[in-house]
Amino acid sequence: MSSVAVLTQESFAEHRSGLKDVEITGSVPEDEAYIPTYLEAFPPLPDKSTPGEKTGEPAGAWSKIRPIKASVITQVFHVPLEERRYKDNSQFGEGEEAKVCLDIMQKTGAHIELSLAKDQGLSIMVTGKLDSVMKARKEIVARLQTQASATVLIPKEHHRFVIGKNGEKLQELELKTATKIAIPRSDDPNANIRITGTKDGIEKARHEIQLISAEQDKRAVERLSFEKAFHPFISGAYNRLVQELSQETGARISIPPPSVPKDEIVITGEKEAVAMAIARIRAIYEEKAKSVIVVEVIAPAWLHRFIIGKKGQNIGRITQQLPKVHIEFTDGEERISLEGPTEEVEQAQAQMQEIIKDLMARMDYAEINIDHRFHRHLIGKNGANINRIKEQYKVSVRIPQDSERCGLVRIEGDPQGVQLARKELMDMAQRMENERTKDLIIEQKFHRSIIGQKGEKIKEVRDKFPEVIIIFPDQQQKSDIVQLRGPKNEVEKCAKFLQKLIAELVESSFSISVPIHKQFHKNIIGKGGANIKKIREETNTKIDLPMENSNSEMIVITGKKSSCEAARDRILAIQRELANLKEAEVSIPAKLHNSLIGSKGSLVRSVMEECGGVHIHFPAEGSGLDKVTIRGPAEEVERAKRQLLQLAEEKQVNNFSVELQAKPEYHKFLIGKGGANIRRVRDRTGARIIFPSPDEPEQEHITIMGKEEAVWLAQKELETLIKNLDDVIEDSLVVDPRHHRHFVCRRGQVLRELAEEYGGVAVSFPRTGTQSDNITLKGPRECVDAAKKRIQEIVQELESQVNVEVLIPQRYHRAVMGAKGCKIQQITREHEVQIKFPDRDESQEPASQENGDTDLIPRKCDIIIVTGRAEKCELARAALLALVPVTIDVEVSYDLHRYIIGQKGAGIRKMMEDYEVNIWVPQPEQQSDIIKITGQVASVERAKQGLLQRVKELQAEQEDRALRSYKVTLSVDPKYHPKIIGRKGAVISQIRKDYDVNVQFPDKGDEQQDVIVISGYERNANEARAAIEQLVAALQDMVSEDIRLDRRVHARIIGARGKAIRKLMEEFKVDIRFPQPGSEDPSKVTVTGLPENVDNAIDHLLNLEEEYVSWESLAKGFVVRDAPWNAQGNKAPDMSSAEEFPTFGSGIAPKQTSAWGPKKC
């Protein structure tokens, strides 16, 4: 059984609006303007003898009433603002509080409803089984309410009774009070028990602990069970009466707090004191019990929640008028209990019967059985379907939870709405029974393409087939099954459409790889990606080039087969134009192709590497074609052709192969510089030797292929070479110490290169400072000899190096270096030299000289040192001087400078990036026509031509601007200007777009407020003027009428962010203007439109005003005359105080301000 809380006077109007059509009977006068007196509104309790005379029941009749229990209970409690953990009220119902409640509901199975009180406190209603409610309440207190702590002192020997057997009593107490109770250890001298939780919970826990302690006390303990409704009369206002009783008798009286659902009062102390306290308490109870009766009203259980009303609005009207009446509803039963003073209970009974009679006349229900599998589809996404039905037919639809596995759906509400909702739900269920589910197998790699970016493509499909639900598997499932569900015909159509879409995707996912020499990749990309972008757009393909630091030469083209082939031909054409490449075809039987390609392409790769990097292309497997394409330099193509034919012949005659093992570091030495060693072996034996590629797992395996005799011979030679490499020796070499740094600098790069090239030979240099010129080499004999020879060559090169000074003014050094030193790095690579720039001198430089025409006195900071062979240094010197920028002057009209610079310098910056030059534009105050371009000679010349071309374009634009500057004026009454502009400028923007003109309206301060200026091409301006004149002519047929609406209803008519008023204007095709804040006539509203539409809109607005004003009159509250607090020296009572306004067993916290009834099923 649950209780209904008493509503406050402030929310009286809200509760009255719950049942507008119900006639309330009772003590309220018929004339609504009548204000009752305090005694009329709140009559005093009758004398002690009155109840007995009226009811004819003995005083002990209360003891015969058995408490009504239910399996489902409801608890309501209040969290004050200062105790709320989350106080952000900006989005109530969507913040952390709602998430926490949802989590608690899932954990405990209880139902939780939140409400925000006027004092910003939080009202929480928990419904469910007793155990679930208690667990949920504990979770809510811990997670939504700030925690406090207090201590209670009881004798140490009583602690074990608080803990109970195996701690069960303590756990039960913590769960019941939603607190955390810390009891000191037995060896701890401290006897204080600490309680942590909410203030209310702490009070409950302290009370329970004191009861347990009292039970164990040697003094007398007595328990009296009185109905909860009488506890406030025993305790008195602010607990004064019970304190007086305790002082007079000397007994300790413990009354449970209002929020504890217990009716037991415990009295402890000396026996005489206890007996005296019991007598006094019984006397108070008997006196009050005689003035109270209990009656039952019968109403169908399904109707209970409508009797209570939304948030207790309907029942709140009765409890507001008759606050001493306690109304209780029982889940699943038809009876409603009313408890309180005889006269008020009779009034409440009459009002309840009127409400029930009215609801029975205009309410109905229906139950339909629908397979629970379809329930979630009836509800729809986020409840879209079921909410639409509820709003459309004004009914309540209750669908059981999935866990119940029940198909019974209940509809309640207006009889006609119930029947219509029932029909629609049955139709939906019938359609779902006729639904078909189909699985399509679509490779997961295509799912993203079908869905599209941000789901755009799949949205188009769903819009085309709105009745079909398309479900893609989760990416983590790695599934290819896409599920379609819906009407059979629509599913089939959608499946065909998707299959066609997949076929197009498969067709457009064709891919081919085109081998292009690495040096030509930048030409294929083009300047700023122009070439590659053009090929992509014209062939509608995706073209991927390898990374710049990758060794791959393959360009991958993806798209339709024909488009890919077209793109490939265009890329190959670019390569042919740039180099003298030859393409040859050789016919080799298709059955030999796989054996010629070799494992993972090893055999054909060895041919391509040996023949100077030619590209060999075999036809696709299964095509049956015999033609193999070879592309590359003419000589290497012929060589590769001969080798392929020779290999094919060997494969046909006799093919034999063996594998040989050698350490990976020996491979380079076995191959030799430029493949010299391995070529000698092949020439002598006629066998082909294949070394593993870097990405192969088996790096030690060397494959020898060919005729058996040739293979054995080659194997023998290689084994001899490998054996020699395994013969490790140690040797020494004399190198001048001044050259040691060259070998060990850059983290020993030269030494690493020697080790890689010469079979892993280890070269050791003496430590710095030892002044030794002896270096040690350790490794295979042949590798050591070769490494010694190479070191001697390097030393000879170092000794033949010279230093060349290049004089370039310091101000040009940055330009010569290029971005991140890229230009210098290129020169050092190409000419095999070292270039050292001097330290920067920050002192003042000599006067600037353009293009180096005047001899300069050389400074140390201007001299760049180039080190290397003499002939290489001269080439590098010439290359450096070529990088010195020059400056030229270009004459451009001063008027065009700002257009050349562009917005925030974007135009001039782009030109400098495109032509790799620096462009200087004079300051505006100079008004000079000379623009200076600085950079390399070739770049400067290209930039000059680009600048002159830009000047031509700007001059053409100036001429066009002159033509567009034609203006016409139009005189239009200012009252039509807003209509011509339109909402958010929609109308005038369309005119500007349609006629390509600029339309300028007068500013507020202009003298001529009626003049509209139109500028653009002459013809367009005249056409735009005619369009505006036509619009004004239509506006002149409209009328404007002023009406006066109560300014209190303006906000409600306008609605949130103007949504309601916009809907009205669209419905009646009128414009409605409300007065601005501070207006002289704040009630004046102007309606503009066609006469008929204006009349209809005004009628509607007046109806709305009448409706809203009538609601406002209900919101004035409940007013009485001659109240006690009106007398001098008195103050108005606190209606939220349970002490000043005690209720009959409400079971709700004193500050609870909402009247929530239990939720009915």
Side-chain angles (χ1 to χ4, degrees):
M1 185 181 296
S2 58
S3 304
V4 179
V6 179
L7 297 178
T8 62
Q9 296 284 1
E10 288 80 6
S11 56
F12 177 68
E14 181 184 353
H15 305 312
R16 286 191 64 184
S17 63
L19 285 173
K20 296 179 184 176
D21 300 331
V22 179
E23 183 181 347
I24 306 297
T25 61
S27 61
V28 180
E30 293 180 2
D31 182 9
E32 290 187 1
Y34 175 76
I35 299 176
T37 64
Y38 180 79
L39 291 176
E40 289 174 338
F42 303 102
L45 290 173
D47 296 335
K48 294 182 182 178
S49 60
T50 305
E53 294 170 5
K54 287 189 177 182
T55 60
E57 294 180 0
W62 283 99
S63 61
K64 297 179 182 179
I65 299 175
R66 303 178 68 182
I68 301 171
K69 296 183 180 179
S71 60
V72 177
I73 68 165
T74 299
Q75 281 198 6
V76 183
F77 53 98
H78 185 73
V79 180
L81 175 63
E82 60 272 13
E83 293 184 16
R84 284 179 60 187
R85 189 181 295 273
Y86 305 102
K87 297 182 181 179
D88 182 11
N89 300 325
S90 59
Q91 291 182 333
F92 179 72
E94 299 179 7
E96 289 296 325
E97 289 171 338
K99 292 179 183 176
V100 169
C101 287
L102 185 61
D103 183 48
I104 294 171
M105 285 195 287
Q106 291 174 348
K107 284 183 180 178
T108 63
H111 181 75
I112 302 170
E113 292 186 14
L114 298 180
S115 177
L116 197 64
K118 288 184 178 180
D119 62 355
Q120 298 301 309
L122 196 64
S123 296
I124 305 171
M125 182 169 73
V126 188
T127 305
K129 303 286 186 183
L130 177 61
D131 185 48
S132 300
V133 169
M134 299 308 290
K135 289 179 180 177
R137 185 167 174 272
K138 183 178 178 182
E139 286 282 328
I140 289 169
V141 167
R143 296 171 66 178
L144 291 184
Q145 197 165 359
T146 55
Q147 304 291 294
S149 65
T151 57
V152 58
L153 180 64
I154 63 171
K156 189 83 173 177
E157 57 271 15
H158 294 173
H159 285 193
R160 62 192 182 91
F161 298 103
V162 177
I163 297 171
K165 187 177 180 181
N166 297 326
E168 292 176 358
K169 183 70 176 177
L170 180 62
Q171 292 175 8
E172 180 187 350
L173 188 57
E174 287 182 335
L175 187 64
K176 192 191 317 182
T177 61
T179 58
K180 179 67 178 176
I181 302 172
I183 299 177
R185 296 171 62 88
S186 57
D187 55 356
D188 188 345
N190 182 18
N192 284 325
I193 296 174
R194 177 167 291 280
I195 309 168
T196 305
T198 62
K199 292 180 181 178
D200 188 32
I202 289 172
E203 288 301 320
K204 295 178 190 175
R206 181 190 280 117
H207 170 74
E208 292 292 336
I209 290 171
Q210 287 172 345
L211 288 183
I212 293 170
S213 178
E215 285 181 2
Q216 305 306 320
D217 205 327
K218 293 181 180 179
R219 296 178 296 174
V221 178
E222 292 290 339
R223 291 179 173 80
L224 298 177
S225 291
F226 296 133
E227 287 83 353
K228 192 79 174 175
F230 296 98
H231 287 194
F233 300 105
I234 296 170
S235 60
Y238 301 107
N239 290 321
R240 287 173 187 161
L241 182 56
V242 74
Q243 290 171 7
E244 290 174 4
L245 281 175
S246 294
Q247 290 174 0
E248 290 175 10
T249 61
R252 187 169 72 180
I253 303 169
S254 180
I255 301 175
S259 55
V260 176
K262 280 189 176 182
D263 57 6
E264 192 176 68
I265 298 174
V266 180
I267 305 125
T268 59
E270 299 296 332
K271 290 184 178 181
E272 294 179 1
V274 169
M276 191 183 304
I278 290 173
R280 293 285 301 274
I281 291 171
R282 286 190 184 278
I284 295 170
Y285 169 72
E286 289 171 1
E287 178 185 350
K288 297 297 179 183
K290 290 178 181 179
S291 64
V292 177
I293 64 168
V294 177
V295 299
E296 290 184 352
V297 178
I298 304 301
W302 67 270
L303 207 60
H304 285 191
R305 64 194 188 91
F306 296 103
I307 296 171
I308 295 169
K310 190 176 182 181
K311 296 185 178 180
Q313 287 179 352
N314 300 344
I315 204 69
R317 298 183 64 181
I318 298 174
T319 56
Q320 190 78 359
Q321 294 175 353
L322 307 169
K324 296 181 181 178
V325 176
H326 178 62
I327 304 171
E328 292 184 352
F329 293 81
T330 307
D331 285 334
E333 296 186 14
E334 294 188 344
R335 65 175 182 270
I336 304 169
S337 299
L338 285 77
E339 179 183 332
T342 306
E343 185 178 347
E344 292 195 11
V345 166
E346 289 174 352
Q347 293 180 28
Q349 182 181 12
Q351 293 187 34
M352 288 284 289
Q353 287 172 343
E354 286 293 330
I355 293 172
I356 293 166
K357 182 179 178 182
D358 176 74
L359 288 173
M360 291 292 289
R362 60 186 182 85
M363 296 289 288
D364 194 7
Y365 76 93
E367 293 181 341
I368 53 178
N369 206 330
I370 297 175
D371 194 321
H372 71 273
R373 293 178 296 126
F374 303 142
H375 286 185
R376 63 191 182 95
H377 304 299
L378 292 178
I379 295 169
K381 190 174 182 181
N382 297 327
N385 295 344
I386 205 69
N387 288 338
R388 179 185 57 79
I389 291 172
K390 287 178 180 177
E391 292 175 6
Q392 185 174 346
Y393 302 117
K394 308 299 181 187
V395 295
S396 171
V397 183
R398 302 186 63 80
I399 298 176
Q401 298 287 334
D402 288 344
S403 56
E404 297 179 22
R405 314 287 288 180
C406 174
L408 194 65
V409 177
R410 186 182 179 94
I411 311 165
E412 300 170 353
D414 177 71
Q416 185 179 359
V418 167
Q419 294 304 317
L420 292 172
R422 179 180 181 277
K423 182 177 182 301
E424 182 164 346
L425 286 173
M426 291 295 290
D427 290 343
M428 289 173 69
Q430 186 68 26
R431 283 200 305 272
M432 282 184 277
E433 286 177 359
N434 295 331
E435 274 188 352
R436 180 185 172 186
T437 300
K438 183 171 184 176
D439 291 341
L440 284 182
I441 306 299
I442 301 174
E443 287 186 63
Q444 195 176 40
K445 65 181 180 180
F446 295 127
H447 290 187
R448 189 181 293 276
S449 302
I450 295 171
I451 295 170
Q453 191 175 9
K454 296 183 180 179
E456 291 176 356
K457 291 186 179 178
I458 197 64
K459 186 177 181 297
E460 293 176 5
V461 178
R462 285 174 174 150
D463 290 344
K464 191 169 185 177
F465 303 98
E467 296 182 34
V468 179
I469 299 171
I470 306 170
I471 304 171
F472 285 86
D474 191 4
Q475 284 186 342
Q476 297 176 350
Q477 295 178 359
K478 304 292 184 185
S479 173
D480 295 338
I481 298 175
V482 176
Q483 191 178 77
L484 309 181
R485 188 174 66 248
K488 183 177 178 181
N489 294 337
E490 290 298 309
V491 166
E492 289 298 328
K493 289 178 184 177
C494 184
K496 287 180 181 178
F497 180 82
L498 285 176
Q499 285 167 348
K500 183 180 177 183
L501 190 64
I502 295 159
E504 291 176 358
L505 286 173
V506 170
E507 185 183 1
S508 62
S509 64
F510 178 80
S511 178
I512 56 174
S513 297
V514 185
I516 299 294
H517 290 284
K518 194 80 174 179
Q519 65 265 33
F520 300 134
H521 284 196
K522 61 180 181 180
N523 304 97
I524 288 165
I525 295 170
K527 193 163 190 179
N531 293 351
I532 198 72
K533 185 179 178 183
K534 185 177 181 183
I535 296 171
R536 283 171 178 158
E537 290 175 352
E538 292 181 359
T539 61
N540 194 24
T541 55
K542 180 185 176 185
I543 303 173
D544 295 315
L545 286 87
M547 298 295 290
E548 200 171 326
N549 54 358
S550 169
N551 293 324
S552 173
E553 294 185 337
M554 290 295 178
I555 295 178
V556 181
I557 307 171
T558 307
K560 292 184 178 179
K561 186 176 180 180
S562 57
S563 301
C564 289
E565 290 172 350
R568 179 188 63 189
D569 294 341
R570 292 185 61 170
I571 290 172
L572 291 174
I574 293 173
Q575 182 178 240
R576 279 194 296 270
E577 290 175 7
L578 294 169
N580 182 23
L581 298 180
K582 180 183 176 182
E583 187 174 298
E585 291 183 350
V586 58
S587 183
I588 297 174
K591 63 182 181 180
L592 298 177
H593 288 185
N594 283 341
S595 59
L596 289 177
I597 293 169
S599 176
K600 296 181 181 179
S602 59
L603 183 55
V604 75
R605 190 169 55 248
S606 70
V607 174
M608 289 192 291
E609 289 173 357
E610 191 174 332
C611 298
V614 297
H615 295 298
I616 301 174
H617 176 70
F618 284 83
E621 189 176 358
S623 63
L625 298 175
D626 296 338
K627 289 183 179 179
V628 178
T629 306
I630 308 169
R631 188 183 304 111
E635 293 181 4
E636 300 298 334
V637 166
E638 288 300 323
R639 187 174 163 199
K641 183 177 179 181
R642 287 196 301 271
Q643 288 200 23
L644 279 178
L645 290 172
Q646 183 182 347
L647 281 171
E649 186 181 348
E650 290 174 359
K651 293 284 183 184
Q652 286 178 315
V653 175
N654 187 13
N655 187 35
F656 184 73
S657 67
V658 295
E659 283 190 350
L660 189 66
Q661 283 192 336
K663 294 178 181 178
E665 55 264 29
Y666 292 168
H667 290 187
K668 284 193 175 182
F669 188 78
L670 292 174
I671 294 168
K673 194 169 184 179
N677 295 347
I678 208 67
R679 195 179 297 115
R680 281 197 300 270
V681 175
R682 199 197 68 197
D683 291 342
R684 284 199 297 268
T685 62
R688 176 162 295 280
I689 302 164
I690 304 170
F691 287 85
S693 61
D695 56 344
E696 289 185 25
E698 295 294 339
Q699 288 292 307
E700 293 189 353
H701 289 180
I702 301 172
T703 306
I704 308 172
M705 303 177 66
K707 293 181 181 180
E708 185 173 0
E709 183 182 350
V711 168
W712 290 122
L713 191 59
Q715 183 182 6
K716 187 176 179 182
E717 287 199 26
L718 285 176
E719 285 175 346
T720 304
L721 288 171
I722 293 168
K723 187 177 180 182
N724 293 337
L725 290 173
D726 288 334
D727 182 16
V728 177
I729 66 165
E730 187 172 316
D731 200 354
S732 61
L733 182 67
V734 175
V735 176
D736 194 318
R738 61 194 173 93
H739 299 313
H740 289 189
R741 187 175 180 280
H742 174 80
F743 290 92
V744 298
C745 68
R746 289 174 295 175
R747 298 183 182 178
Q749 183 178 344
V750 177
L751 294 181
R752 283 200 305 275
E753 290 173 356
L754 286 170
E756 289 175 4
E757 191 172 348
Y758 299 105
V761 66
V763 183
S764 302
F765 279 79
R767 291 184 180 179
T768 307
T770 57
Q771 299 299 321
S772 173
D773 58 0
N774 196 42
I775 66 169
T776 305
L777 294 88
K778 187 176 181 180
R781 183 180 299 277
E782 292 188 13
C783 294
V784 168
D785 293 340
K788 279 176 67 176
K789 185 178 178 182
R790 178 58 187 148
I791 290 172
Q792 288 170 347
E793 289 175 358
I794 293 172
V795 170
Q796 188 178 356
E797 288 177 2
L798 291 173
E799 289 178 346
S800 64
Q801 281 185 351
V802 296
N803 290 337
V804 175
E805 294 183 353
V806 183
L807 179 62
I808 297 176
Q810 182 179 261
R811 65 176 176 276
Y812 298 134
H813 287 187
R814 190 182 298 276
V816 170
M817 287 181 185
K820 297 181 181 180
C822 63
K823 294 178 181 178
I824 293 302
Q825 290 170 11
Q826 185 177 352
I827 293 173
T828 55
R829 281 197 304 269
E830 288 179 1
H831 302 293
E832 299 176 1
V833 296
Q834 292 180 2
I835 301 173
K836 184 179 180 183
F837 280 78
D839 294 335
R840 189 167 183 81
D841 186 358
E842 299 297 338
S843 61
Q844 187 175 3
E845 293 190 12
S848 159
Q849 302 291 335
E850 290 188 9
N851 306 333
D853 292 338
T854 304
D855 293 335
L856 297 174
I857 300 172
R859 299 183 302 161
K860 187 176 180 180
C861 63
D862 297 335
I863 297 173
I864 300 171
I865 307 297
V866 182
T867 305
R869 289 179 176 271
E871 63 276 10
K872 299 280 188 182
C873 288
E874 288 302 323
L875 293 173
R877 181 176 181 278
L880 284 172
L881 291 173
L883 293 176
V884 177
V886 297
T887 302
I888 64 169
D889 293 343
V890 181
E891 187 173 349
V892 177
S893 176
Y894 166 74
D895 297 335
L896 300 178
H897 287 189
R898 61 195 182 96
Y899 301 110
I900 291 170
I901 293 170
Q903 189 175 12
K904 295 183 180 179
I908 200 73
R909 202 159 44 244
K910 185 175 184 305
M911 289 184 70
M912 290 193 290
E913 289 172 0
D914 289 348
Y915 299 113
E916 298 179 355
V917 295
N918 182 42
I919 302 175
W920 179 81
V921 180
Q923 294 296 326
E925 56 269 15
Q926 296 179 10
Q927 295 193 357
S928 172
D929 293 339
I930 301 300
I931 293 178
K932 294 181 180 293
I933 306 175
T934 303
Q936 296 178 39
V937 177
S939 300
V940 166
E941 190 58 36
R942 286 190 297 110
K944 178 182 177 181
Q945 297 302 322
L947 182 59
L948 293 175
Q949 181 62 33
R950 177 63 179 150
V951 169
K952 288 181 182 178
E953 292 173 3
L954 291 172
Q955 287 172 344
E957 289 176 9
Q958 279 186 331
E959 293 174 3
D960 184 64
R961 269 197 298 274
L963 293 173
R964 291 176 63 90
S965 62
Y966 180 80
K967 291 184 179 180
V968 293
T969 57
L970 180 65
S971 180
V972 177
D973 193 323
K975 68 180 181 180
Y976 296 129
H977 288 189
K979 284 294 182 182
I980 296 171
I981 293 170
R983 187 168 177 265
K984 294 184 179 179
V987 177
I988 199 64
S989 295
Q990 191 62 39
I991 291 173
R992 287 171 176 153
K993 182 180 177 182
D994 291 345
Y995 299 102
D996 190 21
V997 293
N998 180 35
V999 183
Q1000 187 69 37
F1001 286 83
D1003 293 331
K1004 288 185 179 180
D1006 291 350
E1007 294 180 0
Q1008 296 179 325
Q1009 287 292 307
D1010 59 340
V1011 175
I1012 299 173
V1013 180
I1014 307 169
S1015 58
Y1017 294 116
E1018 183 177 357
R1019 180 181 174 185
N1020 293 354
N1022 290 327
E1023 289 177 354
R1025 177 180 179 176
I1028 293 174
E1029 288 175 343
Q1030 185 179 354
L1031 183 61
V1032 171
L1035 292 172
Q1036 287 173 344
D1037 294 337
M1038 295 183 179
V1039 296
S1040 291
E1041 288 194 25
D1042 295 337
I1043 59 170
R1044 278 167 177 74
L1045 298 179
D1046 193 321
R1047 63 181 178 182
R1048 293 175 297 169
V1049 304
H1050 286 191
R1052 299 196 67 176
I1053 294 173
I1054 294 169
R1057 297 182 180 177
K1059 186 176 180 181
I1061 197 64
R1062 281 199 301 274
K1063 187 176 179 183
L1064 277 178
M1065 290 193 290
E1066 290 172 5
E1067 182 180 349
F1068 293 100
K1069 297 180 181 178
V1070 295
D1071 181 62
I1072 303 173
R1073 297 288 174 181
F1074 286 83
Q1076 295 294 327
S1079 175
E1080 295 180 359
D1081 189 353
S1083 301
K1084 179 182 174 183
V1085 178
T1086 304
V1087 185
T1088 305
L1090 295 174
E1092 184 180 353
N1093 294 344
V1094 168
D1095 292 341
N1096 293 336
I1098 289 174
D1099 290 342
H1100 185 76
L1101 288 171
L1102 293 173
N1103 289 337
L1104 286 177
E1105 179 195 31
E1106 183 180 354
E1107 183 180 351
Y1108 293 154
V1109 168
S1110 65
W1111 290 356
E1112 290 287 338
S1113 65
L1114 294 176
K1116 292 179 181 178
F1118 187 67
V1119 182
V1120 296
R1121 294 180 287 115
D1122 303 331
W1125 54 83
N1126 289 338
Q1128 188 173 4
N1130 292 345
K1131 66 174 183 177
D1134 180 6
M1135 288 183 291
S1136 65
S1137 169
E1139 286 78 15
E1140 294 191 11
F1141 288 90
T1143 57
F1144 291 102
S1146 64
I1148 299 173
K1151 290 189 179 181
Q1152 180 64 39
T1153 59
S1154 297
W1156 291 5
K1159 189 170 183 180
K1160 301 297 176 185
C1161 298

